[in-house]
Amino acid sequence: MPLDTSKNNQKIPVNPGEVLFVSGRPSQSLNILHEGSVRVEVNLGDISFALYTLEGANLTPGIFALLEGTTLPYTIRAKSSCVISTYAMNQANAKKTLTQKVSVGVMAVRTLLKEIGELYKRITAIRGLTSSIEFTTDNLGAAYFILNPSIFPDLQPGGPITRDENIIDPVMRSIRNNLAGFYEHGGLLPESPSVSFLDEDHGEFFQKDYADTVEWRDSEFHFIRKILAVNPKISQALFEADPSLLQSAAESYVATYRELFDILEKEVTDLTESMQTLLSGDQSLLEKMNLTLDLFSTGYSTIPSTTLLPITEWSLKKAQAHLAEFNQIFGTPFAGATSSIDTLEKKQKELTTKYSHELTSKKASDEKKASSGDDSITAGIDINSLKTELLNSASQILNYAQADPEAVKEFSTLMVKLKTFKNPLDPDPDNRKIRRTIAKTYWDVYKRSFTKWLKDGRKAPTAVEMMLRYGYFDESLLEEGHLVELRARMEQPRFNGNVPVHLGTDWLEKIYGREIPTSVDELGQTFFEKLKLDLKDSGIKSDKDIPPEYDTGEARLAYEMNAMYEPNVRLTSGNISSHFPILTKYHITLPIDKCYVTKAHVEKAIQEILAVDYTAFNREILYRNEEIGIKNEFVQRSIIPDFIIVPSIGPRVMMWQDLSIFRGSGSKESKGRITIPHLVTGDLKSFLMDAIAAFRWELCKNILGPDWNNVGIPSITADYTDYIQFYKKSKDLSPELKEKITSEFKRFRTDRDKFAYDYNLWLKYESEGVQRVNRVVRAIFYRHIPFQRAIREKVSGQPAFAELHNKFKNVRSRQHKEHENKYKKYMDASGALPKELYENLQFYEV
């Protein structure tokens, strides 16, 4: 029986296990725990568990519900023998008591503080488990599709993956839609799944961060906690002088507790759903792995045992680990667990025994392959000679660079410590601090090595050249197979493409030789602007005023390294929290032959994009030709940016600048700059689409200036920004579609990111006639980002495109006629036009 709180001022001894207050009932008393401990218990869905314990004297269990004026969201039970006093009162009286009796008020606020801390710990534990399960189900779902592609018979091998909300099985629907997101964001599915694929974080492609913490409004919480943390006599005197502070603290804590309790309910629901997806019933992922094993056992499946059994073993171990963690958090087994896990364990044991010889042989073969490399490109590499050549690479590089001895000493100590970590890329704060310190010395060594390499005629020991190219530093941080692959690819074939692609070292050499202008830094400052700030008292007003001793090749190189090169190595790696500029085996999540980028790869991807979006790099520039009377004529010109391959590995291509010259003559005709990691862990073409979308957006803003979002002057940025701001009022979109857009937009930080997402869908799907953007976006893109003529003619037969195509044809035909009439006076005797005008006329042809 719960306590009868109608009797006032009672002091009650309570035995262990007795219920003091019951969930769902109104709180009608202020309760003070004098000794012993009580347990707060909740019942959320099908899960009942102890939330936290309150132990010690001068605590006020149940104060949250009393001050909020609601029913208790939890049950309070005596954990040990305890003594408690109860004082009958309502919400209004409780608030008055807190300010009139400061000691009681401080007691209540301290109790709430303790409860908030314990509640947050429990939420974090639940969130961490949910995150781990989501990681497992997302990766296992992708592996299940690779193993059984026939589950989606409408998909073509290697083709685009589309969403399908009509799939009845919720797990299959989730797998399908997850894979669509994976494809859209540049993910590459391996030909066959592996344990390494399952262990990798593919959140970048699934658009999930697998966060193991929750966000909540905690600013006031921390402020009040600091006040309570000071000497009790001081805080007591402060509250007595101004009781409103105590009232404000109590109200803030009550609001914080409610916010966290609501988060708790959601987290428990999310966890239950995630557990069910993995473990519960005939439609669970684990049961699907059981079915796959059944097909394999009966001979209906052609999946090799050496591929399937490691995957199912991984699934079993993960499921067992998640169940054990659930039990640890809630003190009870997961009620939804079925016999699937027991069945999988039994089948796994039987088949592993049966195919033990094949599994052992495969393991030996993989080890041999890793040590020798079997790609034809590595055929001429002698692994033993290479190992000798790269022996003690770190020492070779440090000696070559002649770095500061003290810095080298600290660097070497930290590198030894880093190697002891299970995973040097772990985002743990202590690991990050060590990596940052190492990175500072690494970049100093890199700069010194590059300068010496340049002065030595581009010659250096192999270890140094591999550092300059890839960010390599220590042979023990990579597998032997990686070393062979990287060394074999040092000599890239001669490149004669139409896309300006530069290796990082070539780019730095051009900067050093002053062949090209320096880049802007992360704050948008140019070399001149930075120098002007550094020499603010020297009277420098223009580039010509820079003293020669400050504008040297060495100065420009040092600036470029700090301003563009180093930041882009970091940014292209994708995950800033785990960034490390030195290449390790933990970075390499795809076979090197699948992620290595050459100039030819970039050329091919760009040409494929231009085959769809032929105006990707177009802009209007002024053309002058005084000889034939052309003073100012705007013409369209495609100016392809410089693509710079930097020594990094990751899933991101960065649009760094839309122009390389920002003011003066020729600025609007200057090239942009886009950086690419030398090892791309995903689909290079998709990442380039993201970068080109950013390029289009920033170039439009730069060219139009203040009018970039002026709908009176139609442009990509103006029309798309208008769509973002007013889509909820659009008559062309249904309420359901508006809700879907709102949900999608939550995933993106900026308008440019939203645009890039739709741009990817436009090029990947809409160009194939598969409708993936809404009609408002389709109208904007068809106007400003038209497809190549052949694609336009192909999609124009569809109702969704027919009207847009006719409008586009009419507008372009009129523009073409106007330019044709205008250009007649510039024709020579043979009827030919200057090249610039002829190309502009062709641009408007439909």
Side-chain angles (χ1 to χ4, degrees), residues 285-331:
L285 253 178
L286 225 55
E287 189 57 30
K288 287 174 171 49
M289 300 312 295
N290 274 326
L291 292 172
T292 304
L293 283 179
D294 287 340
L295 291 171
F296 172 77
S297 300
T298 55
Y300 284 100
S301 171
T302 58
I303 305 168
S305 62
T306 51
T307 297
L308 177 60
L309 293 179
I311 300 301
T312 49
E313 182 184 14
W314 184 91
S315 310
L316 177 62
K317 287 180 178 178
K318 284 291 182 180
Q320 290 171 331
H322 295 325
L323 279 173
E325 189 174 351
F326 183 95
N327 202 345
Q328 184 180 4
I329 292 172
F330 297 105

Side-chain angles (χ1 to χ4, degrees), residues 159 463 730 829:
S730 174

Side-chain angles (χ1 to χ4, degrees), residues 154-168:
D154 60 309
L155 299 181
Q156 299 299 318
I161 302 171
T162 55
R163 286 175 171 79
D164 187 350
E165 299 295 343
N166 298 317
I167 298 173
I168 297 172

Side-chain angles (χ1 to χ4, degrees), residues 323-455:
L323 279 173
E325 189 174 351
F326 183 95
N327 202 345
Q328 184 180 4
I329 292 172
F330 297 105
T332 181
F334 175 59
T338 63
S339 60
S340 294
I341 192 166
D342 296 329
T343 305
L344 181 60
E345 186 174 18
K346 182 181 177 183
K347 290 177 180 177
Q348 184 68 29
K349 190 176 293 185
E350 291 173 355
L351 291 170
T352 299
T353 302
K354 183 177 180 180
Y355 292 95
S356 60
H357 179 71
E358 290 182 16
L359 294 170
T360 303
S361 299
K362 178 67 163 56
K363 184 179 179 182
S365 173
D366 288 344
E367 289 174 354
K368 183 179 179 181
K369 180 180 175 182
S371 65
S372 61
D374 65 348
D375 192 343
S376 60
I377 197 168
T378 66
I381 301 293
D382 182 338
I383 182 62
N384 293 321
S385 297
L386 181 62
K387 285 166 71 174
T388 302
E389 194 175 13
L390 297 178
L391 185 64
N392 297 323
S393 289
S395 296
Q396 289 188 52
I397 293 168
L398 292 169
N399 290 333
Y400 182 84
Q402 298 177 336
D404 176 61
E406 286 300 315
V408 168
K409 186 177 178 181
E410 181 187 21
F411 175 87
S412 301
T413 303
L414 291 175
M415 282 292 287
V416 170
K417 186 172 183 180
L418 192 79
K419 290 180 187 180
T420 65
F421 296 154
K422 185 177 179 182
N423 184 347
L425 307 184
D426 194 306
D428 176 78
D430 291 337
N431 290 14
R432 292 175 69 179
K433 187 176 179 181
I434 290 172
R435 289 199 300 270
R436 281 198 300 269
T437 306
I438 291 174
K440 285 180 66 176
T441 303
Y442 165 80
W443 281 114
D444 178 60
V445 169
Y446 191 101
K447 293 167 195 172
R448 289 169 178 267
S449 298
F450 177 79
T451 305
K452 188 176 180 184
W453 172 78
L454 208 55
K455 290 179 179 177

